[in-house]
Amino acid sequence: MHSTQIIRALGAISTLAVASTLAACGGGGGSAWPVAGAMPPVVPAPTPDPGAPGAPGGTAQPEVPSAPPDAEPGDGGPTGDAALVLTTQAGPVRGKLDTTTQTLAWLGLPYAKPPVDTLRWKPPVDPEPWTDVRDATRFGASCAQGGRYFSPAPDNAPFGLSVRDGFGKPVGSEDCLTLNVWRPVGSAERLPVLLFIHGGSNISGYSADPIYDGARLAQQANAVVVTINYRLGLFGWLDLPQLKTGDPATDSGNFALLDQIAALRYVQANADVFGGDAANVTVMGESAGAVNVWMLMVSPLAKGLFHKAVSMSGGITTATRSQTRSYADALLKRLLMADGTVPDAFAAERWIQSHSDQETAAYLRAKPAREILTVSLADPQLAAAPAVIPDGSVVPLDPHRAITQGNYQKVSMLASNTREEGKLLGAAFGAFRPTDYDRFTMEYNFDPDAPPTLTEADLLKPEFLPVDRPLTGWNAAASLVTQAGFYQGLATSMTALATQQPDRMWYLRFDWAQQPVPFNTVYGAAHAMDLPFWFGNFGRTSFSFSYSRANRPGREQLSSAMMGTLAAFAHTGNPHHAGLGTAWPNWPATLTFDASPTQARIALE
């Protein structure tokens, strides 16, 4: 590609793909949703060859033990009397002890009935109670979604190389509304509660991702940590007139956000059972999860359910009603054509006009989830359902205005970005050379302690090299994505919040980029690279290629400081703590979190 063409393409990224497509990744790029075709097509994973070999693969803080690849936190199974039995409002549950972190965990706890059959595209309903002790030592199924880079493996298998085999295919299950709880052994009661909402463009992700294991964070923060599943994509966000009933929650189409509200209500009802304080709940989320945190801030249905908020790499982002309605209409017509009910779009329109809303809703609810996902994944315009929907009931028509008028949950806010957010998203604008399948394989098999076997040219297309070339190099291209897709949107959200509570908001930037070559320049401080540091999880994850013996001392000190920041915020409402070694003024001041290979470096910019 000629350099002039590259510059034009990057301009398009800045004005469209970044401000809209990347907003879907949780960037908070404004009120727009991608135009038709803005999302890259979902390419199904090739059929794997089982016998094929893998591709090529401040003040220092106390060290946080790193889990070896074969001993993740939470792997310790039930151990006799240490397997704690508690009685929740729904019934008794048996948890397990993790001897590595000295934490207790209860996994796969249902906070709502399975949203299937007549409950599909309905607000969540409280789970059926039980009387026998329920095993809570395994994660629940991940929510139904099209397989992507940070999706679960097929058949809800544990994280591993098989994740790639689900790319472009339906994975997960509709029966997925569960949450997970961790707490330290022997701690006092009434601990603060940290509830985390995962990211993934509101179309992918799962709470069983090993990055989100809450054991180390619970132990380091002396807190109860909760992670949740919630409905994704077209099952979580669908604005179809034929599904309307007159009930404002149902008619909103924001089923995923209603799931998150239901999870917060579960915490309110059961926090004391797990030793938590229902009057001290911090809701935090990353990427699309951060977008959802902001939506919870302005949703009247979330009033009183949490008391502090953490937004990691996300700001206020909504779709327009015309976009959400167009998507839903197109999906219905495509389903009618795909199963042979009608031959074409014109006939689909006639079918819709000749059937009642109740008949159409029954038609849709009778379809298997896998069939619906398969149809949507085959059409790039249907691969990503637009979210969030400003319905005026669950979500205000103008969330920014709601904040500036004081109509929001007035809680302290800790917000963050990574320095090079855009570097994770090269596939969105054609920068990565391998397919997602091959790139996942290369990264999974990469040994961070071996002599380098990969170069920048193995991962990036020639037109983005050298990475430091002005205007068109990888650094410049990714910077456009970072600024327009992430920084600007969050700044707009924080500016609105500052009109109401300038003394209760803080901001940090994650700058760590000490990965082995070539990942230090291909990714660096990319979007989501901060997540293992927040949770203290450096075992086998999607980012394992980053963690070498050489960079261990510095990254573990940095992780300890970051978990200490969450601890301070959860316990006191202020993220500052003595271990940071520097003052931390309110936003718009920026505290940078970085590390050399051997020592954390935290400074006020």
Side-chain angles (χ1 to χ4, degrees):
M1 183 182 291
H2 191 273
S3 61
T4 303
Q5 293 175 298
I6 296 174
I7 293 172
R8 287 175 183 158
L10 294 178
I13 292 168
S14 178
T15 58
L16 174 62
V18 174
S20 55
T21 301
L22 298 179
C25 296
S31 298
W33 187 260
V35 296
M39 290 294 292
V42 180
V43 181
T47 302
D49 175 4
T59 301
Q61 304 299 305
E63 290 196 9
V64 179
S66 176
D70 58 350
E72 305 296 341
D75 278 350
T79 308
D81 294 337
L84 192 60
V85 176
L86 300 178
T87 301
T88 70
Q89 283 201 346
V93 294
R94 177 181 290 107
K96 66 176 183 177
L97 168 70
D98 175 17
T99 55
T100 303
T101 59
Q102 285 299 296
T103 54
L104 296 163
W106 296 266
L107 310 177
L109 302 175
Y111 66 85
K113 287 183 179 179
V116 299
D117 302 325
T118 59
L119 294 182
R120 181 187 284 170
W121 298 306
K122 290 282 187 69
V125 177
D126 288 344
E128 291 284 353
W130 60 86
T131 56
D132 293 338
V133 177
R134 181 187 183 99
D135 180 73
T137 62
R138 298 179 183 276
F139 291 104
S142 304
C143 286
Q145 59 194 277
R148 290 172 171 83
Y149 217 81
F150 296 98
S151 290
D155 302 317
N156 286 298
F159 175 82
L161 197 56
S162 61
V163 167
R164 63 182 183 173
D165 300 327
F167 290 175
K169 303 172 185 176
V171 295
S173 167
E174 278 194 283
D175 183 357
C176 66
L177 297 185
T178 61
L179 53 77
N180 317 293
V181 181
W182 291 264
R183 62 153 292 151
V185 169
S187 289
E189 300 300 300
R190 298 183 64 81
L191 297 174
V193 179
L194 290 161
L195 184 144
F196 179 77
I197 304 169
H198 70 74
S201 303
N202 270 321
I203 59 175
S204 64
Y206 62 118
S207 66
D209 188 319
I211 288 176
Y212 308 137
D213 188 290
R216 281 191 174 78
L217 178 57
Q219 188 268 332
Q220 290 289 305
N222 195 30
V224 174
V225 174
V226 181
T227 63
I228 68 171
N229 285 337
Y230 58 95
R231 281 174 282 185
L232 299 166
L234 56 84
F235 294 112
W237 317 91
L238 194 65
D239 188 15
L240 186 70
Q242 289 84 352
L243 297 175
K244 311 301 181 187
T245 66
D247 169 63
T250 301
D251 295 354
S252 76
N254 290 302
F255 308 109
L257 195 66
L258 292 169
D259 292 343
Q260 294 159 34
I261 292 170
L264 284 165
R265 287 177 177 152
Y266 179 99
V267 168
Q268 286 298 307
N270 294 282
D272 60 330
V273 175
F274 299 101
D277 183 358
N280 186 6
V281 176
T282 299
V283 63
M284 60 181 189
E286 188 269 345
S287 193
V291 172
N292 298 335
V293 166
W294 285 96
M295 296 302 105
L296 292 168
M297 290 270 288
V298 298
S299 176
L301 275 65
K303 184 177 181 179
L305 298 181
F306 62 97
H307 313 92
K308 305 173 185 71
V310 179
S311 167
M312 303 166 177
S313 299
I316 292 172
T317 301
T318 60
T320 67
R321 293 311 289 268
S322 62
Q323 290 163 339
T324 61
R325 291 287 174 87
S326 295
Y327 175 91
D329 181 68
L331 175 66
L332 173 56
K333 290 176 179 175
R334 179 60 63 186
L335 289 168
L336 287 165
M337 290 185 284
D339 67 10
T341 299
V342 299
D344 52 41
F346 179 74
E349 181 63 33
R350 287 189 302 176
W351 188 98
I352 294 169
Q353 296 301 323
S354 64
H355 287 74
S356 68
D357 290 352
Q358 293 79 9
E359 289 172 328
T360 301
Y363 164 80
L364 288 170
R365 290 190 170 111
K367 285 199 166 295
R370 186 176 186 85
E371 178 183 341
I372 298 173
L373 284 172
T374 298
V375 170
S376 70
L377 291 169
D379 186 341
Q381 296 188 30
L382 298 176
V388 173
I389 305 169
D391 65 293
S393 178
V394 175
V395 175
L397 298 177
D398 186 340
H400 285 108
R401 179 174 293 181
I403 290 176
T404 58
Q405 292 180 345
N407 298 322
Y408 73 102
Q409 331 305 337
K410 296 176 178 63
V411 302
S412 298
M413 168 65 75
L414 171 63
S416 68
N417 282 115
T418 69
R419 183 168 54 88
E420 299 172 293
E421 301 266 16
K423 285 193 171 181
L424 186 71
L425 306 170
F429 51 99
F432 291 143
R433 183 174 182 177
T435 64
D436 279 356
Y437 184 95
D438 290 338
R439 182 163 56 98
F440 188 94
T441 307
M442 295 163 74
E443 293 169 3
Y444 187 91
N445 289 331
F446 183 82
D447 182 351
D449 294 311
T453 57
L454 296 173
T455 67
E456 293 169 343
D458 291 317
L459 292 162
L460 296 170
K461 290 182 178 178
E463 52 264 41
F464 293 93
L465 297 173
V467 296
D468 57 355
R469 185 175 60 214
L471 297 179
T472 61
W474 175 231
N475 291 344
S479 180
L480 279 176
V481 175
T482 299
Q483 293 292 331
F486 291 93
Y487 285 9
Q488 292 176 14
L490 181 57
T492 300
S493 302
M494 293 290 277
T495 298
L497 191 61
T499 66
Q500 302 294 309
Q501 53 177 73
D503 60 343
R504 297 176 64 195
M505 47 196 298
W506 293 265
Y507 177 77
L508 70 88
R509 192 184 68 226
F510 176 83
D511 285 7
W512 187 84
Q514 296 293 334
Q515 301 97 327
V517 171
F519 295 108
N520 59 330
T521 53
V522 172
Y523 290 130
H527 186 63
M529 195 62 70
D530 54 332
L531 283 169
F533 290 77
W534 288 117
F535 283 89
N537 292 331
F538 297 117
R540 174 64 89 173
T541 70
S542 300
F543 295 133
S544 303
F545 57 83
S546 300
Y547 310 130
S548 64
R549 287 191 293 270
N551 64 35
R552 178 174 178 172
R555 64 175 157 84
E556 290 187 348
Q557 291 175 16
L558 179 59
S559 175
S560 181
M562 291 170 66
M563 289 189 285
T565 292
L566 287 179
F569 190 65
H571 282 270
T572 71
N574 186 318
H576 184 266
H577 57 97
L580 297 177
T582 183
W584 192 346
N586 294 109
W587 184 87
T590 300
L591 196 66
T592 61
F593 281 66
D594 197 0
S596 70
T598 59
Q599 188 172 27
R601 294 175 174 172
I602 298 165
L604 187 63
E605 187 171 77

